[in-house]
Amino acid sequence: MRQESIPFVNLGIQFERFQNEIIEKFKQISSAGHYILGAEVEAFEHEFAEYCQAKFALGVANGADALFLVMKALGVGAGDEVITAPNSFLASAGAIVATGARATFCDVAEDYNLDPEKLAAAITPKTKGVMPVHLTGLPADMGPILEVANKHGLFVLEDCAQAVGARYKGKRIGAIGTAGAFSLHPLKNLHVHGDGGAITTNDEKLYQKLKLLRNHGLKNRDECEIWGYNSRLDAIQAAIARIKLRHLDEMTTRYQTIADNYWRGLKGVVRVPDRPDFAEGVYHNFVIQVERRPQLQEYLSSKGIETKIHYPIPIHLQQPARKWGHQEGDFPVAERQVTKILSLPIYPELTDEQVSRVISEIRFFYEAT
Ligand SMILES: *Cc1c(COP(=O)(O)O)cnc(C)c1O
């Protein structure tokens, strides 16, 4: 019997669902001739701010820029340090380095997020802020992180790229700290057809400065107030984000249902994700920890099931970070997890039948071999 393959991502089927609305918007925006920023982006910003329970939102070119611009607006630069998680996607640390500052790290806990108990020890006189990453779609434990940060006068920039819609103690992530940075990249839960990003904050002064920074420092068509950058969001991408934002809660529920099925089906067979009671995750990734990972991955692949590792090399052990003197053993929890983690396919369009098949193949692998 030939079995249908289960790819790790399948963006085409989400497009099919929304194509009528997207094509209509594409025609409308193309005829009107306003392609960058403008009314469509402003409408997205209002709706996104409301969604994230933040006072302000700003559309930018991508998630890395969202992080970078917030730090620039907060005055981060050469000689400064910002603490982040060593197990994140490279862009978290990369955005810090882009400001001229140095990325420093704090080990993570079993939930893959910054371990608040280790945070104080990572602070030096040069530390200006902390960038917790809500990795895998699960909010970091913001309460104790904010407590340590406030005590030391540090900003807290939430890397929300993987966690749009997630809640920490009932409140949406993004404006719990000083600001939040989101990515609208095609692989994120809320995505557009290219690059895109957004910033959320409750701080009006910060918002006004970010608005200048993302568009060459221009306060109107002709007058520049500060030196800035080009990090604008396109109208068509904002329109696509608006269409999908209206369905995001329903898609999130589907992510959570799939996660729940994986969780119950695989508990006791492999290590399933922590579900701390302070957080409601949106399962950007469903990460298990397994023994004999290469063999399992190969077995699943032979059955047409695609899996990935997020991420196979911790940031502090990447070549450019080694120059800062990092070595194996610096962040033992992250380094232990990296040898065992495996991400399973998870997206709203995945069927119950496909999820069951992934579960039964993993169970079969450990029971039969
Ligand atoms: C995707 C991602 C980013 C960067 O977003 P881009 O839109 O690709 O620039 C930053 N941090 C994390 C944790 C991410 O997953």
Side-chain angles (χ1 to χ4, degrees):
M1 192 184 83
R2 206 184 132 268
Q3 279 185 315
E4 163 219 21
S5 68
I6 305 178
F8 191 76
V9 284
N10 191 344
L11 298 174
I13 38 176
Q14 188 164 117
F15 172 63
E16 279 166 31
R17 175 175 175 195
F18 296 115
Q19 63 174 319
N20 291 343
E21 281 177 273
I22 290 173
I23 291 167
E24 197 43 52
K25 268 293 181 186
F26 183 77
K27 286 187 193 160
Q28 200 186 309
I29 288 167
S30 300
S31 306
H34 199 122
Y35 297 159
I36 300 176
L37 296 179
E40 200 65 44
V41 171
E42 279 168 31
F44 165 68
E45 291 169 344
H46 282 119
E47 290 162 11
F48 194 68
E50 190 180 35
Y51 183 84
C52 297
Q53 302 170 341
K55 286 201 180 117
F56 308 99
L58 200 70
V60 295
N62 56 65
D65 274 11
L67 292 167
F68 168 80
L69 291 170
V70 170
M71 289 186 282
K72 272 294 174 192
L74 293 170
V76 175
D80 297 336
E81 293 176 0
V82 178
I83 302 168
T84 192
N87 61 344
S88 183
F89 178 57
L90 271 172
S92 310
I96 298 168
V97 175
T99 67
R102 167 152 165 206
T104 60
F105 302 99
C106 168
D107 208 352
V108 294
E110 296 305 333
D111 64 1
Y112 306 111
N113 284 326
L114 277 191
D115 186 343
E117 305 213 332
K118 294 181 181 160
L119 186 55
I123 296 169
T124 76
K126 294 179 177 172
T127 307
K128 287 290 176 321
V130 186
M131 182 197 293
V133 183
H134 305 305
L135 206 69
T136 77
L138 183 75
D141 194 359
M142 292 300 289
I145 290 172
L146 282 165
E147 210 172 288
V148 175
N150 290 340
K151 199 170 132 201
H152 291 84
L154 309 176
F155 67 79
V156 176
L157 169 55
E158 300 172 59
D159 184 337
C160 304
Q162 301 192 356
V164 64
R167 292 174 195 266
Y168 177 76
K169 296 191 172 167
K171 194 181 179 322
R172 285 253 158 82
I173 52 125
I176 296 173
T178 315
F182 294 82
S183 168
L184 302 172
H185 181 277
L187 295 180
K188 313 295 172 159
N189 289 25
L190 175 68
H191 63 258
V192 298
H193 290 195
D195 277 308
I199 299 166
T200 47
T201 184
N202 287 332
D203 180 336
E204 182 164 12
K205 262 179 71 180
L206 179 61
Y207 163 74
Q208 295 297 352
K209 187 155 184 194
L210 286 164
K211 214 168 162 175
L212 295 171
L213 284 180
R214 76 154 170 198
N215 191 19
H216 306 299
L218 287 166
K219 66 176 176 189
N220 54 44
R221 188 182 174 281
D222 299 314
E223 289 172 279
C224 172
E225 195 166 309
I226 50 174
W227 294 116
Y229 305 89
N230 173 359
S231 183
R232 299 173 300 226
L233 184 63
D234 293 340
I236 186 66
Q237 306 299 3
I240 294 171
R242 291 182 69 202
I243 291 167
K244 295 190 178 190
L245 188 59
R246 292 199 279 276
H247 300 275
L248 184 57
D249 280 340
E250 160 215 317
M251 290 196 278
T252 296
T253 302
R254 181 68 194 148
Y255 277 98
Q256 290 166 334
T257 302
I258 294 168
D260 207 49
N261 289 342
Y262 275 147
W263 204 89
R264 284 184 288 112
L266 293 171
K267 190 161 72 86
V269 180
V270 297
R271 192 194 163 107
V272 291
D274 280 10
R275 302 199 286 193
D277 50 11
F278 58 71
E280 185 189 320
V282 296
Y283 294 96
H284 168 67
N285 282 316
F286 191 88
V287 178
I288 56 176
Q289 288 183 42
V290 301
E291 303 301 324
R292 293 187 286 144
R293 182 173 63 184
Q295 290 88 336
L296 174 64
Q297 252 194 314
E298 200 179 305
Y299 172 75
L300 292 174
S301 164
S302 77
K303 298 289 170 185
I305 299 167
E306 195 185 7
T307 56
K308 301 256 185 225
I309 299 166
H310 296 94
Y311 297 92
I313 306 171
I315 305 175
H316 68 285
L317 299 179
Q318 293 280 3
Q319 196 182 319
R322 294 236 184 204
K323 282 188 234 144
W324 297 328
H326 286 301
Q327 54 188 347
E328 267 106 43
D330 284 359
F331 304 103
V333 178
E335 290 171 31
R336 166 166 51 76
Q337 290 168 347
V338 97
T339 64
K340 298 199 178 322
I341 50 174
L342 188 69
S343 305
L344 303 180
I346 188 163
Y347 38 93
E349 299 80 12
L350 207 61
T351 64
D352 288 342
E353 192 266 324
Q354 290 175 311
V355 173
S356 300
R357 206 153 74 71
V358 175
I359 294 169
S360 56
E361 292 295 3
I362 294 172
R363 295 189 73 105
F364 180 83
F365 176 82
Y366 287 108
E367 280 156 17
T369 62

